[in-house]
């Protein structure tokens, strides 16, 4: 007999034989304010969740269901739903069926069991993911879909909670989260050990410790095990009872009354004090981790039986009979009725349509465009007041860093929902002064100095986007994003996909990076690989090469985020921040005057930049490669070579038609890529031109497959003006 059937039969036998008893220290429902009607409702949600778990395994055995990580033993989270409001956004882990089922009771008119069964069956009619995954989630119930198994959703929960206080400070209303809302994030005891979770706890505590509002409940459902690895007894309490900035509450999730009392205390504290709570809810894991997991292979039989004796349904039935709210036979009848109704629904659900084409699967990768009120157009007087003495310098040629700083200020003046966040972005103005004066101009509510944790920075942005903000997080150096890349790959980029376009987290992630820095080096500050972004479906990757382009591209990035709800990565070449000259000292050819909003030709997604019209050679490049190729172009012209330099600007996605058109009649194509030869854009470009322009002669030059050293050796592995000239001549020979 499998574990699910064994637990099922033990529950029915206990009901039939009257073997029902609550713990001696279990709280009195009257003392907690839990009414008869509320308790029965919670219990019915728990019974429904259990029967759905059983049904999921039956469907899998028939090849009609595709997910068996269930909620059995964790049904106490239904009581948490009862203690919260439907408008309290909930980021849930995968054992939260009971929570969603019970929250649905608080918003009449839904069909929660039917919706979940469509999800089990991977039907395209599943109302949350459209058949793409079995996820806990519902737009009407304020439950963003979540597939995380390692608590990677916790940083964005911190961001969402933080955004509530920012909205109140800025007087912003009509946002998804009410001003008195709290945010819930649930996870297991094993996930609490993950570095992502630890970062979220630290960020919430660090923030609250300084008095900043953080109305957040961390719900740790502690069943004592992660797959097969036991959690040391007392570990969670020892870690969190006295943690700075977190208020600790403990309850028993196997008992409805205790779970409700703990959840209500946590909700009241978070809502009343605007501070974070760690709600430690004891639970059990029945059946094992998932359908294929056999607990007996790694747990002693006595421990398994002890956990089964703590079945929340047994405690719930004991409460019902003890209080005289339901008889044991009424509990059994309700349980069997629920199971029968679900089985009948399941037979209909498995017949519903499935995803059948690649196009259908990918339809929600890109969020839907949205109609927004016309953006604020600041008056000349408003701009003059904001820029002050800087206004007098705007008609003078400036380097990229200064131009970007002014562009950020103009964007923030026009769009009140933009928030810049990152380490040192405040009064210091960033490592390279790109955010200079933003804090002075817009204040700490919109220019947020974060702690040193890239996962926290990106999670902050994702969570704020959930609440209607347009975040522009900054990662100081490209190499620093690697310890937090899952926040982009596994969280931000997947949200539209797994919610069928119902949820999105638009943002513009600014990252200083790439090589060629002078007087400073090492691979931490000269990372020359963009591969981490290029293979993430739906993410836009922009790399400007000069100040004028940077301004117009940044504006386009903000438009893409605001209007098209896109996740955009904007990589700013550090070596070009302060660059002024192109060919010789003092020529000023790499500077530009500042184009105010509405001035100059916009640069739209996919637009390439073309310098020259030579037909001997097309040099296709981006970033620092554009700067070096322009230098090489002059040297080649002296030898009679007529070349054109094509600046990709947008590395993901590349507009192939525009790129091919830009190459024009050039018979030879040289790709210059400052990133490493393995995994760089050059590989894709070689394939593109081979397929689209098979009659052209191709070559590429890219960085060596090496990390970048310090000092004068920092550019030895990278393309140079001279190596570009040499490669061009070899191609022309």
């Amino acid at each position: 007999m499998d574990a699910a059937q064994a637990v099922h039969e033990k529950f029915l036998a206990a009901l039939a034989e009257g073997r029902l008893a609550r713990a001696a220290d279990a709280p009195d429902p009257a003392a907690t304010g839990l009414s008869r009607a509320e308790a029965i409702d919670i219990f019915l949600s728990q019974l429904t969740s259990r029967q759905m778990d059983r049904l999921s395994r039956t469907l899998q055995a028939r090849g009609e269901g595709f997910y068996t990580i269930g909620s059995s033993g964790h049904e106490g989270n239904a009581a948490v739903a009862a203690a919260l409001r439907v408008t309290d956004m909930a980021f849930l882990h995968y054992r939260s069926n009971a929570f969603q089922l019970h929250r649905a009771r608080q918003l009449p008119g839904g069909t929660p069991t039917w919706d979940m069964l469509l999800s089990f069956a991977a039907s395209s009619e599943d109302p949350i993911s459209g058949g793409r995954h079995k996820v806990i989630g519902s737009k009407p119930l304020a439950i963003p879909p979540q597939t995380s198994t390692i608590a990677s959703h916790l940083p964005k929960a911190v961001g969402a909670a933080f955004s509530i206080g920012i909205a109140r400070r800025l007087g912003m209303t009509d946002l998804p989260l009410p001003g008195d809302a709290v945010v819930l994030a649930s996870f297991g005891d094993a996930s609490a050990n993950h570095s992502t979770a630890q970062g979220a706890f630290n960020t919430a505590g660090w923030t609250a410790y300084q008095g900043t509002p953080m109305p957040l409940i961390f719900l740790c459902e502690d069943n004592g095990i992660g797959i097969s690895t036991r959690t040391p007894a007392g570990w969670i309490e020892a870690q969190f009872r006295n943690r700075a900035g977190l208020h600790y509450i403990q309850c028993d999730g196997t008992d409805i009354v205790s779970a409700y009392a703990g959840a209500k205390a946590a909700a009241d504290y978070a809502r009343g004090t605007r501070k974070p709570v760690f709600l430690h809810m004891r639970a059990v894991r029945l059946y094992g981790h998932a359908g294929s997991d056999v607990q007996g292979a790694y747990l002693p039989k006595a421990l398994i039986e002890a956990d089964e004796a703590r079945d929340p349904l047994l405690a719930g039935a004991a409460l019902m009979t003890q209080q005289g709210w339901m008889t044991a036979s009424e509990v059994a009848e309700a349980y069997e009725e629920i199971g029968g109704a679900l089985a009948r629904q399941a037979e209909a659900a498995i017949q519903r349509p499935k995803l059948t084409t690649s196009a259908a699967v990918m339809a929600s990768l890109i969020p839907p465009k949205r109609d927004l009120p016309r953006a604020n157009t600041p008056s000349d007087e408003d701009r003059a007041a904001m820029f002050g003495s800087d206004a007098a310098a705007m008609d003078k040629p400036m380097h990229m860093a200064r131009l970007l700083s002014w562009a950020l200020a103009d964007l923030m003046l026009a769009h009140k929902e933009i928030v810049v966040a990152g380490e040192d972005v405040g009064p210091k103005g960033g490592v390279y002064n790109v955010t200079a004066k933003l804090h002075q101009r817009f204040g700490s509510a919109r220019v947020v100095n974060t702690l040193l944790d890239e996962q926290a920075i990106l999670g902050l942005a994702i969570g704020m986007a959930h609440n209607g903000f347009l975040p522009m997080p900054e990662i100081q150096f490209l190499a620093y994003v690697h310890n937090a890349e899952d926040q982009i790959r596994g969280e931000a980029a997947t949200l539209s996909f797994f919610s069928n376009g119902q949820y999105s987290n638009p943002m513009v992630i600014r990252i200083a990076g790439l090589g060629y820095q002078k007087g400073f080096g090492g691979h931490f500050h000269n990372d020359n690989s963009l591969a981490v972004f290029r293979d993430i479906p739906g993410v836009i990757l922009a790399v400007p090469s000069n100040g004028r382009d940077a301004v117009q591209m940044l504006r386009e990035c903000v438009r893409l985020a605001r209007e098209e709800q896109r996740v955009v990565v904007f990589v700013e070449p550090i070596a070009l921040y302060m660059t002024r000259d192109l060919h010789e000292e003092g020529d000023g050819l790499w500077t530009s005057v500042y184009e105010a909003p509405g001035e100059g030709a916009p640069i739209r997604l996919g637009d390439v930049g073309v310098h020259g019209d030579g037909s001997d050679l097309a040099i296709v490049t981006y970033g620092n490669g554009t700067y070096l190729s322009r230098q090489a172009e002059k040297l080649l012209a002296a030898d009679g070579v007529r070349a054109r330099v094509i600046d990709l600007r947008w590395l993901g996605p590349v507009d192939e038609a525009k790129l091919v058109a830009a190459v024009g009649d050039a018979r030879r194509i040289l790709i210059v890529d400052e990133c490493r030869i393995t995994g760089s854009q050059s590989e894709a470009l070689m394939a593109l031109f081979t397929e689209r322009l098979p009659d052209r002669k191709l070559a590429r030059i890219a960085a060596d497959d090496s990390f970048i050293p310090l000092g004068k050796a920092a550019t030895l592995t990278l393309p140079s003006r001279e190596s570009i000239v040499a490669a061009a001549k070899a191609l022309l020979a």
Side-chain angles (χ1 to χ4, degrees):
M1 185 186 301
D2 76 5
Q5 185 64 20
V7 171
H8 167 70
E9 293 188 4
K10 286 181 180 180
F11 177 58
L12 291 177
L15 291 173
E17 299 165 14
R19 291 185 285 103
L20 300 170
R22 292 180 74 208
D25 59 349
D28 180 2
T32 64
L34 182 64
S35 70
R36 173 182 182 275
E38 289 173 324
I40 292 175
D41 266 356
I42 293 170
F43 186 53
L44 291 175
S45 295
Q46 293 181 325
L47 294 177
T48 305
S49 178
R50 178 64 59 83
Q51 290 286 33
M52 293 199 79
D53 275 3
R54 296 184 60 241
L55 187 56
S56 72
R57 290 171 175 245
T58 302
L59 293 174
Q60 185 198 45
R62 292 171 50 187
E64 301 286 3
F66 307 97
Y67 196 85
T68 57
I69 299 181
S71 303
S72 294
H74 284 250
E75 290 90 353
N77 54 47
V80 181
L84 295 173
R85 302 171 184 170
V86 175
T87 51
D88 293 331
M89 189 169 283
F91 297 91
L92 305 175
H93 73 147
Y94 47 65
R95 299 193 191 278
S96 301
N97 277 0
F99 182 101
Q100 179 157 322
L101 288 167
H102 194 72
R103 177 163 278 194
R105 289 178 178 269
Q106 299 166 301
L107 191 69
T111 54
T113 55
W114 174 248
D115 296 347
M116 283 191 178
L117 288 169
L118 289 172
S119 183
F120 286 175
S123 168
S124 58
E125 294 179 348
D126 163 25
I128 187 61
S129 78
R132 292 170 181 85
H133 203 284
K134 189 276 178 185
V135 292
I136 304 294
S138 166
K139 182 72 172 180
L141 300 179
I143 305 174
Q146 188 57 51
T147 62
S148 167
T149 59
I150 55 169
S152 60
H153 57 298
L154 266 60
K156 66 183 179 184
V158 174
F162 178 78
S163 75
I164 298 171
I166 296 298
R168 294 178 74 170
R169 285 178 62 183
L170 297 174
M172 296 175 67
T173 56
D174 197 28
L175 296 177
L177 290 171
D180 63 348
V182 301
V183 173
L184 175 76
S186 66
F187 51 95
D189 51 293
S191 294
N193 298 303
H194 198 277
S195 62
T196 310
Q198 290 291 324
F201 303 140
N202 185 67
T203 302
W206 182 87
T207 304
Y209 188 79
Q210 300 172 79
T212 302
M214 180 60 66
L216 173 63
I217 300 172
F218 288 118
L219 172 60
C220 179
E221 298 184 34
D222 182 0
N223 61 27
I225 195 167
I227 305 183
S228 67
T229 302
R230 300 278 299 279
T231 298
W235 173 249
I236 296 297
E237 182 175 359
Q239 284 286 298
F240 293 99
R241 178 174 284 280
N242 297 306
R243 191 151 181 162
L246 289 182
H247 180 64
Y248 178 87
I249 296 174
Q250 189 179 90
C251 65
D252 185 356
T254 67
D255 182 87
I256 290 173
V257 183
S258 178
Y260 177 79
K264 187 174 185 303
D268 289 346
Y269 182 89
R271 205 180 309 278
T273 67
R274 318 307 292 167
K275 294 180 180 179
V277 184
F278 190 93
L279 177 58
H280 182 193
M281 177 180 283
R282 297 189 301 279
V284 293
R285 189 190 73 184
L286 305 175
Y287 309 172
H289 176 69
S292 60
D293 182 37
V294 180
Q295 293 193 108
Y298 52 83
L299 290 179
K301 182 179 179 181
L303 181 59
I304 295 172
E305 291 177 345
D307 280 348
E308 290 176 351
R310 295 177 57 219
D311 184 346
L313 265 58
L314 290 173
L319 172 67
M320 296 297 120
T321 57
Q322 180 192 74
Q323 297 294 319
W325 294 339
M326 296 176 75
T327 64
S329 60
E330 287 173 335
V331 170
E333 183 179 351
Y335 179 67
E336 297 286 20
E337 272 187 16
I338 290 168
L342 288 174
R344 290 188 293 274
Q345 282 187 314
E347 294 306 314
I350 62 179
Q351 300 301 319
R352 301 311 300 161
K354 307 292 194 294
L355 294 168
T356 58
T357 67
S358 172
V361 170
M362 296 170 61
S364 63
L365 274 175
I366 309 301
K369 296 180 181 180
R370 56 183 175 182
D371 294 325
L372 294 173
R374 185 174 179 179
N376 173 44
T377 303
S379 66
D380 291 341
E381 292 76 17
D382 288 341
R383 293 186 69 247
M386 176 184 69
F387 283 117
S389 61
D390 284 357
M394 288 183 172
D395 60 351
K396 299 178 177 61
M398 293 290 170
H399 54 63
M400 184 192 292
R402 179 64 57 83
L403 296 173
L404 279 173
S405 180
W406 289 340
L408 284 167
D410 261 327
L411 286 164
M412 294 184 73
L413 185 63
H415 307 296
K416 66 177 183 179
E417 70 272 25
I418 290 179
V419 172
V420 170
E423 186 191 357
D424 299 321
V425 298
K428 177 180 173 60
V431 174
Y432 296 99
N433 221 33
V434 177
T435 58
K437 299 185 181 179
L438 292 183
H439 186 269
Q440 170 189 330
R441 289 165 175 157
F442 298 101
S444 59
R446 297 188 63 195
V447 183
V448 181
N449 257 351
T450 68
L451 73 177
L452 197 165
D453 181 355
E454 285 72 30
Q455 291 183 123
I457 294 168
L458 294 174
L460 173 72
I462 299 170
M464 293 195 76
H466 270 290
N467 197 26
F469 286 88
L470 178 59
M472 297 184 72
E474 176 183 293
I475 304 298
Q476 278 191 353
F477 293 99
L478 179 57
Y480 295 0
V481 81
H482 297 301
N483 71 75
E485 65 181 73
D486 185 55
Q487 289 298 304
I488 303 173
R489 179 184 300 276
E491 295 295 336
T494 62
L495 184 61
S496 177
F497 181 73
F498 285 124
S499 69
N500 205 16
Q502 297 172 81
Y503 278 103
S504 64
N505 35 220
M507 66 188 68
V508 179
I509 305 167
R510 293 181 44 253
I511 305 175
L514 302 174
Y516 297 100
Q517 288 190 73
K518 297 175 182 177
F520 197 52
H523 68 288
F524 282 117
H525 303 101
N526 284 269
D527 188 359
N528 63 327
S529 174
L530 298 172
V532 65
F533 308 117
R534 291 183 50 243
D535 72 339
I536 304 177
V539 167
I540 293 170
L541 175 59
V543 184
S545 66
N546 61 83
R548 190 266 165 190
D549 281 9
V551 169
Q552 295 294 350
M553 289 173 67
L554 186 63
R555 290 173 181 158
E556 172 68 355
C557 290
V558 168
R559 187 197 69 78
L560 289 164
R562 287 189 74 248
E563 298 177 12
E564 302 187 20
Q565 306 193 85
R566 303 296 296 272
V567 175
V568 186
V569 176
F570 189 76
V571 176
E572 301 163 8
I574 297 171
L576 298 175
Y577 269 148
M578 310 298 177
T579 298
R580 292 180 174 274
D581 306 321
L582 176 58
H583 298 300
E584 57 190 31
E585 187 175 350
D587 66 20
L589 293 178
W590 217 249
T591 61
S592 306
V593 296
Y594 180 65
E595 295 177 337
E599 295 179 356
I603 297 175
R604 299 304 186 194
L605 176 62
D607 287 353
V608 298
V610 182
H611 180 82
D613 58 1
S615 59
D616 294 336
L617 175 69
I619 302 176
V620 179
T621 185
Y622 62 91
N624 291 289
T626 301
Y627 177 76
L628 296 170
S629 295
R630 288 285 304 277
Q631 292 179 331
E633 177 200 14
K634 182 178 180 180
L635 298 178
L636 290 168
D639 290 339
V641 177
R642 296 167 53 248
R644 68 183 68 182
V645 176
I646 300 171
D647 185 354
L648 287 171
R649 294 173 172 161
W650 308 94
L651 274 61
V654 171
D655 190 315
E656 295 187 7
K658 288 182 179 178
L659 179 56
V660 168
V663 169
D665 60 355
R667 304 308 303 167
R668 296 169 179 81
I669 302 171
L670 174 64
I671 298 163
V672 176
D673 196 328
E674 64 182 287
C675 288
R676 299 193 280 274
I677 195 164
T678 301
S680 68
Q681 190 78 33
S682 66
E683 293 179 330
L685 291 171
M686 289 291 284
L688 185 159
F689 289 126
T690 299
E691 293 169 355
R692 297 289 294 268
L693 298 173
D695 60 328
R696 311 301 168 91
K697 190 174 181 182
L698 301 175
R700 66 169 169 153
I701 177 173
D704 294 329
D705 286 338
S706 171
F707 299 112
I708 296 176
L710 281 170
K712 294 182 179 180
T715 60
L716 295 180
T717 64
L718 307 175
S720 65
R721 177 186 63 185
E722 290 72 22
S723 64
I724 295 170
V725 170
K729 289 182 176 180
L731 182 60
L732 289 160

